[in-house]
Amino acid sequence: MTNHFKPIVSSILFLCLFFVINAANAQVTRIRGTVYDSETKEPLPFVNVTLEGTNLVTITGFDGSFFLETRLVSRKMIASYMGYYKFDTVITPGTYQQFKIYLKSQTMQINEIVVTPGENPAFRILRMINKNKKRNDPTRQTLYTYEVYNKMEL
């Protein structure tokens, strides 16, 4: 190859590489946000944030903030937390997005629990053991056998 074509070939290679890198970066989805309680407006720590249809999951920090970055394609983000309704929203793949999420608390009705006083079942067993102590004493028996299993590890 002559010296005359070397700058042109290197320029073409540079442009091709530039477009390939830009195309790859254009497919990256970046999502940043903070999750709050809808009533108190306080940040919620340890909320699960995931992209639907992927294995990508993160949890919010103590300040309720999270960050997701992926090349996987998903169109929905889901935030879930025990005691709160699930939140989902549509996202645009290949862009940077920022969210403020307000989770609404979910009330749960449970049946009444009744605690009544009574005897611990273990006490009945202990009384029976004490009652039969003399009858089951191995030294009073004329003949008895037992098996011993020892295991040593070094």
Side-chain angles (χ1 to χ4, degrees):
M1 185 179 287
T2 64
N3 287 338
H4 179 59
F5 290 112
K6 282 186 181 179
I8 295 172
V9 172
S10 63
S11 296
I12 291 173
L13 286 174
F14 175 75
L15 286 174
C16 289
L17 185 62
F18 177 76
F19 287 123
V20 167
I21 290 173
N22 278 345
N25 282 338
Q27 300 303 319
V28 175
T29 303
R30 292 179 180 93
I31 301 172
R32 181 177 302 278
T34 308
V35 181
Y36 300 97
D37 182 292
S38 65
E39 294 174 17
T40 65
K41 309 298 186 240
E42 292 186 15
L44 293 174
F46 311 117
V47 176
N48 290 318
V49 181
T50 185
L51 297 180
E52 186 178 64
T54 69
N55 295 0
L56 187 62
V57 179
T58 189
I59 60 170
T60 60
F62 288 108
D63 59 351
S65 66
F66 68 93
F67 180 75
L68 285 169
E69 182 177 56
T70 184
R71 287 187 181 352
L72 301 173
V73 177
S74 177
R75 303 221 180 266
K76 189 183 279 189
M77 179 182 66
I78 301 169
S80 61
Y81 196 52
M82 185 171 284
Y84 288 83
Y85 288 104
K86 199 181 280 189
F87 172 87
D88 58 42
T89 187
V90 176
I91 59 170
T92 307
T95 62
Y96 173 79
Q97 298 158 75
Q98 197 158 0
F99 292 96
K100 282 188 178 180
I101 299 171
Y102 292 92
L103 293 182
K104 185 178 178 188
S105 64
Q106 179 181 23
T107 57
M108 294 180 215
Q109 185 70 28
I110 61 171
N111 294 333
E112 153 184 317
I113 298 173
V114 179
V115 179
T116 57
E119 183 182 34
N120 186 340
F123 293 151
R124 184 180 61 80
I125 295 169
L126 291 172
R127 275 197 306 276
M128 293 299 290
I129 290 171
N130 199 28
K131 179 181 171 185
N132 293 308
K133 190 175 184 180
K134 287 184 183 177
R135 195 177 101 199
N136 294 325
D137 184 9
T139 59
R140 294 176 43 103
Q141 302 296 324
T142 57
L143 178 67
Y144 69 94
T145 63
Y146 64 93
E147 290 184 31
V148 176
Y149 174 75
N150 290 322
K151 180 178 180 180
M152 290 183 65
E153 290 186 28
L154 297 176

